Structure formats: structure tokens, C-alpha cells
Amino acid sequence: MTSRVCIKGIPKQFTDERLREHFSVKGDVTDAKVVRCKDGTSRQFGFVGFRSVEEAEHAVKYFNRTFIGTARIAVEFAEKYGGGGLARPWSKYSEGSSAHRLVVAKEAAAAPEGARMGIREQRKLARKARAAPEEEDPQLAEFLRVMQPRRQAAIWANDDALQPAAAAIEETGRLFVRNLPYAATEADLVEAFGEHGELEEVHLVVDKATRKSRGIALVQFVEPADAAAAAAALDGAIFQGRLLHVLPARAPPAKAAAKGGDQNGAGEAADDAAGASQAAGGGGGDPKPTGFKAAREAARRADAGNRAAWNTLFMRPDTVAAAVAAHYGVSKAELLDRDAEDLPARMALGEVHVVALTKRALGEAGADVAALEAAAAAGGSAAASAAVPRSATALLAKNLPYAVTEAELAELFGACGPLARLVLPPTRALALVEFEDAADARRAFRALAYKRLHHVPLYLEWAPAGVFAAAPPAAGVRVSVKDRDGGAAPTLAAAGKEEEEEGRTAAAAAAAADAARDGGGDGDDDVAAAGESATIYVKNLAFGTARGALAAHFDAAVSGAGGRVRSARVSTRKGADGKELSAGFGFVECSSEEVAKAALRQMQGSVLDGHKLVLRLSMRKDGAAADPAKAAAKAPGKGTKLVVRNVAFEATRKDIVALFGPFGQVKSCRLPKKFDGSHRGFAFVDFLTKQEAAAAAAAVAGTHLYGRRLVVEWAAAEEGLDELRAKTAARSRADDDDAPAPAAKRKKGSA
């Protein structure tokens, strides 16, 4: 079965428009055509294409053996053009039939001798009849064959048999696809062409004025052989009711070779990227660098899509210091007092505080903080083994200066295309920018990566897939997080209970501890205050329902009640093969208890993916999910001791205690040392209770101390220096076993 149907017995007066209108009652019609003769008369059959195979199947069952006026039609599935399932041709209009051969023979016999061949064809035959000079002289023919240009010479013996189209595809690995349905998306093309090999980029050409598809696309494969196989399989194939036409595409210009990263690579010409870069003002007034600087900037832009260099939750230290100073009403000079003994710990605690507030603000704006944390864990050296799917329309902007405003970012990114939403937390540490069209997002990535914004380069990264659980608001450029005080340098709202402390170090420590007690800044403060009744328990979910579909189903009802969907989750379980399967129920978290109750009343009994939902307020015990530190402390295998790795060699025990002290009472802190007196780059921190250890682990993980990113892990209760030495020795022995054996040394005194 295909998504294209063939209709036989159509009345002669039927047009393409009437055929489309007649069959559109059973689905989305992408193509409708009545086959006609050369003189325009109808051959009384045609083709109708539907968006999906299911719609075509319904149309066949509904319309087959029905009547259009007084004509009875037959509807059946269409076969691929040139496929082996076609019946033997019998019509006089179809090539290959005996009736067609008779018609051609009669026309040739009836035509005069001179009219059978045009003047141009006659001249070509006359030129071919004349003998060429090289044909008369074999030595001249050999000389011309040897001295012909290299591009015309045959390198292999079978070069002449190679088809030009196949040769072009083998050279570039790029395909030009036309006759696409206007409703087709890049995701549809990825699904269709991805079956034949790994794709590097898919670019759907859209009209710049209307932002609608033009029905053509460019598909770039990683391996040219896969492109050739895809062209052979899909040329003339039925795709969403239309017949694809696949041609070899020319290689992109050298200036457009800089890619946007992974599957979101560049697909447009370099002049588009340059035009977008010039249109995006916002700090691009500096003259273009030349020489070494230009080469270095070009290399950075070309490497912007390297996932190993991405750090999702990277925050500019200067922005962190400015945010903390603005929050406590002090200057940066006072905060970064050069004579202070605890300056590294003070900056680390400030980063903890800013990270907590940033996560909370992103959660309030509808972003999935867990997806960002998973992407951060999969960055760096783990990018190859733990790849995280990336969005095609959402960008993560980092290394922002604290003075940047939402209007500046909207103008900067809006020059590349319409924005769906823009989220800038009050901390100014990073921003999430979502475009309406994937092509605009790619253009922005190419044009703005490492572009100067104020006085610093802009770091761009593709956001994780599904970073936004709900669809963007209705219209316009949406800015989801407002400055709480509305000033040019806004102060930050405290995370949880704020306490006025004397001294800047005590203030930063109190803020970090408050953020940790509120759950690491995941945006659960008002939910915890309102109780667990702000979460709706959803039963009877279809096993194929995803988190995004669940959030979109409740979004309209929650928005109508004056709230927002903060998160949606589908519970899973492990199947027999180890894969995650839906458990048939989920949770939708609203912004308040009143909004959750109103949405429950409205959505009770609604149908999602063919299943009637059963809703009730979540009745978990208070604090079961409001305090992740307590939940983490109850997990098996987690005690009160933490291992802190990647500690800078400049750090001291006093710095570690100052960093972890605000989260609870530290019983002991040890930095194992070498024989020369320097420590080994890791530390043990033991807390009085499990809850304090869990809060510290959740808050400090990923914080930078002396410029190095700390890795916080749980330590076994009995794990100490001897156990770590044993583990290190075991790893060394495993590495030695894998390494090649060294050459045997000669004994002393041997000849």
C-alpha cells in the first residue's frame, strides 16, 4: 500500500480541482491530477495523493465502486513509477503496448519523407557521415587521445559506462529533491532518506517572504555511496502522495562549508550567512579582523559544531560575579577583594547561587532543566559515548555579559528569522532562543557563533531535544522571564528564605545553602509551598504517548485557567529487553493548586491518542518530591561521605571546608597527599547527616574552583586512601594489559 491512489472511470468533464475537492473529505490531499492526451482530452483516469498511507487506505475503502454523477469509479492503490508491479500496458497511449506500436508505425508511414526528420537532425547526420581527420590518420588520433585535457581522459577502463548522474552523486554525496508536498517537514525527509545511510544535513528550501516550503530540498549524505543508493531507491518513489524526483546536486560553495553542528549543518550559501551576520547588529560594529585573527576566527566558527567542546551549563565568571554583587548590593571590587583569603571559595559559592537561580528561572519559563543537566553530563569527553539528541530549532547562548538585555538578544537573533520564544534568566548567565523555522536557526548558528557581543565572544550550542515541554505562546517574540525589578542592572530574587548576613562571604554561603535547601534551583519552591496537589496524576495513557504530547494536551486548559504547565512526565518501566517502556500513567505539574484543580475539572475524561484519561490530584506525602536532597539521601548506597575529584592543586583544605560548610556540618575533610607534600587532586568530605551531604552534592557538582570543574561523587562508607590506591592500581594493570609489551632489555655485560 502507498499514499497515492489511482482512480479509473472518471467523467470526461472532471478537472484537477474537482478531483481534489471530491477526495479531500477523506484526508489531506497533496496531489490531484487527471491524465490527459496531447490534445487535452481526458483519458478518464487520474491520481490522488494523500499525506499518509492510512488516509489513502480510508479513501480506497470509502470511494471504491462508488459513483461520480452517473459514472462508476474504481479506486485502487497506485504503484511506483517504473516498478515491477505494474500490469502489461494495453492502451494506444502507453509505450510498450502493441496498439501504441501500430499507432507510431501508421504515423511514420503517413508522414512525407522530408518531414520525418528535421533540418537540424539532417545536418547532424551529414556531419557524422563525413570522416574526421583523425579517422583517416591513426597517428593523429593517438596523438589527440594522449594530449587531451586530464579531465576528459578516462582514468579507469569502465569510465565510459559510468552514468553521468551516478558519477556526480558519487563525487558530492548531495541530492536535489523536488516535487515535495508543501506540508512536508525536514523531519519527514530525515525519516525517508535516513533509511539509506547517515545524513549530514537536510535543508528544506522555504520562501523568504511567506516562510512556506517551495517544494524542493537538498539532502547531504556522509557517505556518497549511500546517496547513490538513496537516489536509486527514491527517484520516482511515492512520498506523502507525490512522486519524488531526485537529481544530483552541485557541491556547496567553499564559503558555506562551515557547518552548524551534527545533523544541524549548514545548507545554504555563504552570502546568506554573511547577510544575517551583518543584519544582526547588537555589538558587531568592530571592524573585521584580518590576517591571523581572521584565520583564528574562521577556525573557531568552523569548529562551533564540535560537541566535545560544548559545556551546556557554562557560565562566564565575570557575569557570575556581577550577578552576585548586584544581588547583595555591593560592587564587584568589594566582592572580589584581592586581600580576601577565601576569594576562590567565595566565587565558587557565588556560582552555586547563580546556577540555582538560573535553573529556577528556566523552569518557570517552561524549560526542562533535567534535559539541560543531562546534556551537560554528556559534554566534553563523554560526547562520543553518551550523545544527547539536539533540537533543530532551539539554541543555547552562553558567555553572555551581565549588561546584555532581552531586547538586544531579540534584535540580534531576530535578524536571522522569526523567534518562537526567548528565555533570558535574571542572572544573565545563559539564554535559550527558539526559532520558528529550523533553517533560520541554522543561519543564526553560522552567523552568530563567536560573534562579539559587547566585548566578549558569543558561545552557541544546540539545545537538547525537547528542552521545552509546551508549545510556544500564541504570537510575537515571546520573552518568558522578565527582570524582577525592571532596572538596567536588576537585583536577583533570593532562592527561598533570604537572610541578611554581615560580610560578603557569609552572604554568598547563605544564598548557596538556601538554594540547595530549595532543591537545587529546579523551580519547585512554589509547588512545594502549594503542596503536591499542584500536580495532576494522569491514568490510562496510551503506551505510545510521549511527554511532549501530554504537555501539549494540557497546555490550553492550564493557560485558560491563568497558569502554565511547568513539567509533564510519563512514567516508564524496563521491558524484557531492557528498553524503557511507558507504564501507562504520568504526571502534569501546574503552577498552582487552583490552576491544577481547574484543569482537572476541564480535562477529566478527555481523549488523548485514543485513550480516555482518568485524572486526579497527586496525593503523595508532603516532601516526597519537594525536597530532592532528602529523596537522594534515602537512595540505597548513599551515605554521608563525598569524594570531590578534579580539585586544583592550588586548593587547600580551608578552601574545601569553606565551599562545603554552608550546606551542613562538616565532620571531616581530607586531602590525601603525595610524598612531596602536595595533594593528589581529590578530597573526602564527610557530613553529619545524609540530607546535608545530598544537598551539597546536588549544589556543588559542576562548580568551578580555581578554574577547574569539580566532580562530586558518593563515597562508600569504608572507602579511603587505601581503597582508592587499589582502584588506581587495578586501572593501571588493566591499561598495561592492553598496551603492547616493551622490548626486552639486554643484560649488563652482554655482548
Side-chain angles (χ1 to χ4, degrees):
M1 293 186 296
T2 62
S3 58
R4 191 174 178 88
V5 298
C6 177
I7 303 99
K8 302 177 182 179
I10 300 175
K12 287 187 176 182
Q13 70 278 9
F14 231 55
T15 62
D16 296 348
E17 292 74 15
R18 292 186 62 185
L19 185 65
R20 176 187 292 271
E21 181 182 357
H22 184 78
F23 281 85
S24 61
V25 297
K26 278 309 195 181
D28 185 9
V29 176
T30 58
D31 186 28
K33 181 180 180 181
V34 177
V35 181
R36 301 181 181 276
C37 303
K38 293 181 180 180
D39 57 359
T41 58
S42 173
R43 294 180 57 185
Q44 293 187 273
F45 75 93
F47 297 93
V48 173
F50 289 90
R51 183 73 185 274
S52 64
V53 178
E54 291 76 13
E55 293 178 350
E57 185 178 4
H58 294 330
V60 170
K61 292 181 180 179
Y62 184 81
F63 289 107
N64 189 29
R65 301 177 66 83
T66 59
F67 287 85
I68 299 179
T70 59
R72 186 175 185 177
I73 61 173
V75 183
E76 59 187 31
F77 290 101
E79 298 289 341
K80 178 183 176 181
Y81 180 78
L86 296 175
R88 184 182 67 84
W90 56 268
S91 173
K92 65 179 182 179
Y93 301 104
S94 303
E95 294 184 6
S97 64
S98 57
H100 181 266
R101 287 194 295 268
L102 291 176
V103 171
V104 173
K106 288 181 181 179
E107 291 178 353
E113 186 66 26
R116 296 179 187 178
M117 185 179 300
I119 298 177
R120 185 174 298 176
E121 286 77 7
Q122 294 178 8
R123 289 178 179 176
K124 288 183 179 180
L125 289 178
R127 285 196 298 267
K128 290 181 180 179
R130 293 195 299 267
E134 57 269 19
E135 294 179 358
E136 299 177 356
D137 189 352
Q139 293 183 352
L140 177 60
E142 182 182 0
F143 173 79
L144 293 177
R145 186 170 60 254
V146 173
M147 298 303 296
Q148 67 180 343
R150 185 178 181 87
R151 63 179 178 273
Q152 298 179 2
I155 300 176
W156 305 102
N158 62 345
D159 274 1
D160 295 335
L162 190 64
Q163 297 295 329
I169 294 175
E170 290 285 351
E171 182 180 353
T172 62
R174 202 166 187 233
L175 301 178
F176 175 69
V177 187
R178 64 184 185 183
N179 199 35
L180 289 170
Y182 295 111
T185 62
E186 290 186 355
D188 298 332
L189 294 176
V190 169
E191 182 180 358
F193 284 84
E195 298 177 354
H196 302 278
E198 184 179 357
L199 300 178
E200 185 175 334
E201 64 137 327
V202 174
H203 174 58
L204 184 65
V205 181
V206 297
D207 187 82
K208 292 184 178 180
T210 62
R211 313 304 304 172
K212 294 182 179 180
S213 171
R214 296 175 58 185
I216 56 177
L218 293 166
V219 180
Q220 178 72 55
F221 281 82
V222 175
E223 295 293 337
D226 297 335
L234 297 178
D235 187 25
I238 299 174
F239 176 72
Q240 293 186 2
R242 297 179 74 99
L243 299 179
L244 292 183
H245 191 192
V246 182
L247 299 171
R250 290 178 294 180
K255 292 182 180 180
K259 295 180 173 57
D262 290 348
Q263 73 272 23
N264 303 309
E268 300 178 7
D271 53 350
D272 292 341
S277 181
Q278 293 174 2
D286 299 336
K288 293 184 178 180
T290 59
F292 172 75
K293 287 186 177 181
R296 183 179 61 181
E297 192 168 318
R300 284 181 174 178
R301 288 177 181 270
D303 196 49
N306 183 12
R307 287 194 175 191
W310 291 353
N311 183 2
T312 303
L313 295 180
F314 170 80
M315 297 183 181
R316 180 176 172 81
D318 183 64
T319 303
V320 172
V324 175
H327 174 63
Y328 291 104
V330 298
S331 64
K332 284 175 59 178
E334 293 175 332
L335 179 68
L336 305 177
D337 187 3
R338 59 185 301 177
D339 297 329
E341 297 180 356
D342 56 352
L343 182 58
R346 182 185 302 177
M347 284 300 301
L349 288 171
E351 183 178 355
V352 171
H353 176 57
V354 170
V355 167
L357 293 181
T358 301
K359 289 181 180 179
R360 173 167 301 163
L362 292 175
E364 291 176 353
D368 189 352
V369 179
L372 293 174
E373 292 177 339
S381 59
S385 59
V388 173
R390 300 287 174 165
S391 172
T393 56
L395 292 174
L396 190 63
K398 301 172 293 183
N399 201 43
L400 301 175
Y402 186 69
V404 72
T405 62
E406 295 161 348
E408 283 182 290
L409 291 180
E411 181 182 0
L412 181 68
F413 286 93
C416 301
L419 301 182
R421 73 181 109 194
L422 189 152
V423 179
L424 179 64
T427 56
R428 307 293 200 276
L430 52 86
L432 278 170
V433 184
E434 185 180 15
F435 286 84
E436 293 182 357
D437 189 71
D440 296 334
R442 288 196 299 269
R443 186 182 299 110
F445 192 101
R446 293 193 307 272
L448 302 179
Y450 292 100
K451 180 181 177 64
R452 285 197 172 273
L453 179 62
H454 291 192
H455 60 284
V456 297
L458 182 64
Y459 297 167
L460 291 183
E461 173 185 335
W462 292 101
V467 68
F468 290 109
V477 176
R478 274 75 63 180
V479 180
S480 303
V481 179
K482 300 288 186 182
D483 296 341
R484 307 245 175 130
D485 293 341
T491 60
L492 305 180
K497 182 181 179 181
E498 294 188 4
E499 297 181 4
E500 295 296 335
E501 299 286 348
E502 303 239 357
R504 292 168 295 280
T505 304
D514 289 342
R517 281 195 294 269
D518 285 343
D522 290 337
D524 294 330
D525 50 330
D526 52 345
V527 176
E532 287 299 327
S533 56
T535 302
I536 301 175
Y537 173 53
V538 186
K539 295 176 61 178
N540 197 32
L541 281 177
F543 292 120
T545 302
R547 178 175 59 87
L550 180 61
H553 185 68
F554 280 84
D555 185 57
V558 174
S559 301
R564 59 183 178 275
V565 176
R566 303 191 53 175
S567 66
R569 180 170 62 89
V570 176
S571 297
T572 59
R573 58 180 178 82
K574 285 190 176 182
D577 54 354
K579 294 183 179 180
E580 293 291 336
L581 303 176
S582 172
F585 65 92
F587 299 90
V588 177
E589 183 182 356
C590 304
S591 55
S592 66
E593 182 179 358
E594 292 74 13
V595 172
K597 291 181 178 179
L600 186 146
R601 287 192 296 267
Q602 181 178 349
M603 302 300 294
Q604 185 70 264
S606 60
V607 178
L608 175 61
D609 294 338
H611 283 232
K612 187 176 181 180
L613 303 183
V614 179
L615 311 177
R616 64 179 176 84
L617 292 178
S618 179
M619 300 304 293
R620 291 183 180 179
K621 296 181 180 179
D622 291 342
D627 195 346
K630 293 182 179 180
K634 294 180 180 180
K638 297 182 179 180
T640 61
K641 185 184 292 187
L642 301 175
V643 179
V644 186
R645 304 185 188 275
N646 200 34
V647 178
F649 294 108
E650 299 86 354
T652 62
R653 180 182 180 277
K654 184 177 180 181
D655 295 329
I656 301 298
V657 173
L659 177 59
F660 285 88
F663 303 98
Q665 183 176 351
V666 177
K667 292 196 301 183
S668 65
C669 177
R670 295 187 298 113
L671 275 81
K673 296 186 177 181
K674 304 178 184 177
F675 293 106
D676 59 359
S678 61
H679 67 79
R680 297 178 177 272
F682 59 89
F684 295 98
V685 181
D686 195 1
F687 284 88
L688 187 63
T689 64
K690 293 182 179 180
Q691 288 77 13
E692 293 173 348
V700 180
T703 303
H704 293 78
L705 182 64
Y706 284 99
R708 301 193 67 170
R709 188 172 183 270
L710 299 182
V711 179
V712 182
E713 300 175 352
W714 292 94
E718 70 281 357
E719 188 174 24
L721 181 58
D722 295 337
E723 288 76 9
L724 286 178
R725 283 177 176 172
K727 289 182 179 180
T728 305
R731 294 194 192 102
S732 301
R733 285 194 296 270
D735 295 340
D736 293 341
D737 293 340
D738 296 337
K745 295 183 178 179
R746 292 187 299 176
K747 295 182 179 180
K748 292 183 179 180
S750 60

